Amino acid sequence: MAEKLKVKILVDSTSDFPKELIKPWDVDIVPLYVIWPDGTTEKDDTRDYQELKKFYDKLRTASELPKSSQPTVEDWEAKYEEAKKNGYDGVLVITISTAMSGTYNSAVLASKEVNIPVRVVDSKRASTAISPMVRYARELLDLGLNLDEVAEQLEKKIKAKGFGAFFYVQDFNFLVKGGRVSRFAGFVGSLLKIKVGIYIDDEGNMIPFTKARGTKAIHDELLKKAQEEGFPAGSTVDLYMVSCDNMDELKEIEEQLRKVYKVKNVYYTPTGKVISMHVGPGQTGFGIERY
């Protein structure tokens, strides 16, 4: 077997990557930007819960929501050069779905400007559906696969529905105002007090699929949808629980998931700034990997 390569894995900040896994999985995060209506810009560069909580509170009181901007080509290029300087043999990049952002394109353009092998994979997902992709990629790298082989195997598992994202929002208007979903039949009008279930389809689009008033009802709908989308009851899975300031309901969902699946590992993580501004406070859900 060829000598194992030293590969840095990069994700963008919409991955909502669990802070405690950054070092053990040798990951670095490339931040997107938040642009407020008054022109001030801040990086989506923290995984600290207390700092993020301040951002959630700011969102709650904002009269007009901020917009997001992808990392620049120069941002990606700097990270690639840093990896080369630190002795890495290559870089694997996993980005938010191209259906939601131009982040993948800027990462690819930057890869053509550096003298280190870089492979960029479109996750076709977002948020905590990306974290398990890192786990899988790191496992393959540890087995001695090269950069191209790892990217190819990861893309195969994505296509085979090995990773999923299922969540609900408590204020659907955040998604509408952020331009990430369209108002369409069944979801028109104010849904301030209704929980709306969302999943990410095979093309990487966020799709509203149900609505409910009660917590248990929406939890049941999420579990049902997960099973319909390739995660049958009894499967062995890892769970990546994610919330925008709604940890209590997140614990309840985990309890229900454990009744349906054989759970190997569970990780909890808050939504980062960019995901938060699109889903709004109260969002709750999970990323899932099927073994």
Side-chain angles (χ1 to χ4, degrees):
M1 183 182 291
E3 184 179 349
K4 191 168 73 173
L5 298 176
K6 185 181 179 184
V7 174
K8 171 66 78 174
I9 299 178
L10 297 179
V11 294
D12 65 72
S13 59
T14 67
S15 64
D16 294 336
F17 198 80
K19 184 168 65 172
E20 71 272 19
L21 298 177
I22 291 173
K23 284 187 179 179
W25 292 357
D26 196 4
V27 175
D28 205 350
I29 300 171
V30 180
L32 277 75
Y33 296 88
V34 175
I35 306 165
W36 290 93
D38 66 0
T40 58
T41 299
E42 59 184 288
K43 287 185 177 181
D44 182 11
D45 61 354
T46 183
R47 300 302 303 137
D48 180 78
Y49 179 69
Q50 293 307 319
E51 288 183 38
L52 288 170
K53 196 162 183 0
K54 292 176 185 175
F55 185 82
Y56 303 156
D57 292 340
K58 190 175 179 181
L59 280 180
R60 283 189 176 96
T61 57
S63 56
E64 187 180 345
L65 293 178
K67 298 185 183 301
S68 60
S69 177
Q70 69 203 42
T72 66
V73 172
E74 291 75 20
D75 290 336
W76 286 110
E77 195 174 331
K79 285 294 185 183
Y80 301 160
E81 293 289 3
E82 181 182 308
K84 182 183 176 184
K85 181 180 177 182
N86 290 331
Y88 285 87
D89 301 303
V91 179
L92 177 69
V93 181
I94 308 172
T95 72
I96 184 174
S97 161
T98 53
M100 298 184 204
S101 170
T103 298
Y104 170 89
N105 292 330
S106 60
V108 170
L109 287 171
S111 72
K112 302 179 189 305
E113 302 300 321
V114 293
N115 189 25
I116 181 173
V118 179
R119 279 297 306 264
V120 185
V121 174
D122 175 3
S123 73
K124 302 282 189 181
R125 300 289 185 270
S127 190
T128 49
I130 294 174
S131 300
M133 296 181 191
V134 174
R135 186 214 65 80
Y136 182 62
R138 182 56 68 196
E139 177 182 71
L140 296 176
L141 287 164
D142 288 345
L143 288 172
L145 277 69
N146 66 39
L147 194 55
D148 287 336
E149 290 169 335
V150 171
E152 183 181 337
Q153 291 302 313
L154 178 55
E155 287 168 345
K156 280 184 180 177
K157 187 164 180 176
I158 292 169
K159 193 172 182 180
K161 292 178 179 281
F163 311 96
F166 305 90
F167 62 97
Y168 64 91
V169 298
Q170 305 213 43
D171 186 348
F172 189 63
N173 290 310
F174 274 89
L175 280 168
V176 174
K177 289 175 183 175
R180 289 299 177 266
V181 297
S182 301
R183 292 185 187 269
F184 54 84
F187 293 91
V188 177
S190 175
L191 293 170
L192 279 171
K193 296 186 178 180
I194 296 179
K195 302 175 195 292
V196 179
I198 315 278
Y199 79 105
I200 302 177
D201 70 7
D202 293 343
E203 299 306 313
N205 298 293
M206 285 197 284
I207 308 294
F209 68 91
T210 191
K211 55 190 176 184
R213 290 191 181 278
T215 300
K216 185 181 185 305
I218 196 68
H219 291 180
D220 288 345
E221 289 292 333
L222 288 190
L223 267 67
K224 179 182 173 184
K225 191 64 177 175
Q227 292 173 66
E228 290 173 356
E229 290 297 315
F231 302 90
S235 300
T236 299
V237 302
D238 277 355
L239 299 174
Y240 296 76
M241 313 301 296
V242 64
S243 169
C244 183
D245 211 17
N246 192 14
M247 283 295 177
D248 289 342
E249 289 189 24
L250 208 54
K251 295 281 187 184
E252 294 174 24
I253 295 178
E254 183 197 339
E255 288 177 14
Q256 288 187 253
L257 285 163
R258 285 186 175 278
K259 294 174 183 175
V260 176
Y261 297 109
K262 298 172 184 173
V263 178
K264 285 185 68 175
N265 300 291
V266 179
Y267 305 99
Y268 273 71
T269 186
T271 53
K273 293 178 183 178
V274 167
I275 292 293
S276 299
M277 55 183 267
H278 289 300
V279 299
Q283 172 273 340
T284 312
F286 57 95
I288 186 169
E289 177 185 8
R290 187 184 72 247
Y291 281 86

